[in-house]
Amino acid sequence: MPVPNFRTFSLLLLIGFSLSLCKPKSDFDEETLLLLAAATTKICANAAYTGATVVNSTATLNASTDCITGMTSSMSADLPAWIRNNFKCSVGSVSGSNYVFRSQNIPNNKSFYFGSTSPMYEALAGGQKSAGNNQIASQCLVYTIPSSPAAKSGTLVGTQSGYASVGITVNGLAIFNNAAAPGDTLATEAQTFDKFNGHPQSSGVYHHHSQPLNVTNNNANLIGVLIDGFPVYGLHCDNNTASTADDNVPGTVGPALDANHGHTAATLLFPGGIYHYHFASDATAGINTLIGSNFYGTPGTVSN
């Protein structure tokens, strides 16, 4: 049976609702029931991402939310303060032993990849080049992330294992691993980054391999959380003090980073100490990246 398109889904849902008012489900034939179920599932799934679909040519920034106008920015009250007080431009909630983030994945910064007709357009920096015809497009990314992360015993899970994203930034954007498209290294692909160190892949998923420059610029700011539940920070550690004077590259003070770009140390958000990742030099990429080749913990799931 062919899968109906969005217009068909909408029509089927309306028909199904109308018919259900006067006709019992048992009177529908099996194919109609399957179509109605598929339509309802698809539309309900889309509704979960809340907010209007962003059209690049009319996209604007909402000054009150610091997110693209029409997108919902909402963190539920049962989320821990380190998420509730720092994350935006996505919808965050708690489900059992997981945090769930739903994101349209549209950057709240100007970018070359909005296209030249968009109010959010900005030319590439000198020396940069376009990533072909790739442009930013609204997504339906759902992250299910363990709320009590722990180190994985045995063989670690690779970050290049087919995940749609390996983490989410504090401003609701996809974090990608330390690998480029086959044939390139990230050191080469970095020539296509916009002025905020992001770019979209072929289906329009805007993402960061490198530090997002409207979140952190070689400092100790929280960047986001990876799908194994551990946070990721900028180049420096804050050493559990509000002062920036003692911020430093990990290993200068406190534990050095492991091969995953992480270490266990106290931070302002986690004064009792936690394993966390840092934006750091990566041999595979040839540049600094937000994650190495493996997760420290057991990753959750990502769908799009």
Side-chain angles (χ1 to χ4, degrees):
M1 181 177 64
V3 177
N5 60 27
F6 181 78
R7 180 175 296 176
T8 305
F9 276 129
S10 302
L11 180 59
L12 285 168
L13 186 61
L14 288 171
I15 292 170
F17 177 74
S18 300
L19 289 173
S20 66
L21 295 177
C22 57
K23 187 175 183 179
K25 185 181 291 186
S26 58
D27 287 352
F28 292 124
D29 62 68
E30 183 179 6
E31 182 166 313
T32 302
L33 284 171
L34 289 171
L35 283 169
L36 288 170
T40 304
T41 300
K42 180 67 174 178
I43 291 172
C44 287
N46 284 342
Y49 299 103
T50 63
T53 298
V54 175
V55 178
N56 289 356
S57 61
T58 58
T60 56
L61 192 65
N62 184 318
S64 64
T65 64
D66 196 30
C67 304
I68 293 296
T69 302
M71 290 172 57
T72 300
S73 180
S74 172
M75 296 292 135
S76 66
D78 52 353
L79 284 164
W82 73 273
I83 293 177
R84 196 173 62 250
N85 297 336
N86 290 286
F87 283 69
K88 61 186 178 184
C89 306
S90 61
V91 177
S93 60
V94 176
S95 178
S97 58
N98 296 292
Y99 303 135
V100 178
F101 295 93
R102 295 175 171 87
S103 174
Q104 284 185 261
N105 202 70
I106 303 295
N108 62 337
N109 54 258
K110 290 190 173 183
S111 175
F112 173 82
Y113 296 105
F114 275 107
S116 60
T117 63
S118 174
M120 295 296 292
Y121 172 81
E122 182 177 54
L124 290 172
Q128 295 296 94
K129 62 182 183 180
S130 170
N133 296 319
N134 296 0
Q135 284 202 351
I136 293 164
S138 287
Q139 306 297 316
C140 295
L141 284 163
V142 180
Y143 299 82
T144 302
I145 298 174
S147 56
S148 299
K152 185 181 183 302
S153 60
T155 304
L156 299 180
V157 178
T159 57
Q160 299 171 28
S161 301
Y163 293 99
S165 169
V166 298
I168 183 171
T169 67
V170 291
N171 55 333
L173 301 174
I175 295 172
F176 273 24
N177 59 30
N178 59 343
D184 280 339
T185 64
L186 271 178
T188 300
E189 195 173 280
Q191 296 172 19
T192 67
F193 291 170
D194 64 19
K195 289 184 179 179
F196 291 89
N197 274 348
H199 64 179
Q201 41 77 291
S202 58
S203 60
V205 180
Y206 186 86
H207 59 275
H208 291 283
H209 303 270
S210 182
Q211 61 178 343
L213 291 175
N214 60 339
V215 174
T216 180
N217 190 354
N218 296 333
N219 57 33
N221 290 357
L222 176 70
I223 292 174
V225 62
L226 296 190
I227 59 173
D228 62 353
F230 292 108
V232 56
Y233 284 83
L235 187 68
H236 292 164
C237 262
D238 65 32
N239 291 305
N240 194 20
T241 70
S243 170
T244 59
D246 62 348
D247 293 355
N248 61 82
V249 175
T252 307
V253 175
L257 299 181
D258 61 23
N260 309 312
H261 295 197
H263 66 174
T264 300
T267 73
L268 273 175
L269 294 177
F270 301 94
I274 190 175
Y275 182 90
H276 56 277
Y277 300 94
H278 280 277
F279 174 60
S281 178
D282 188 87
T284 297
I287 58 172
N288 281 24
T289 59
L290 300 177
I291 179 63
S293 297
N294 294 293
F295 294 104
Y296 178 74
T298 301
T301 62
V302 186
S303 63
N304 188 10

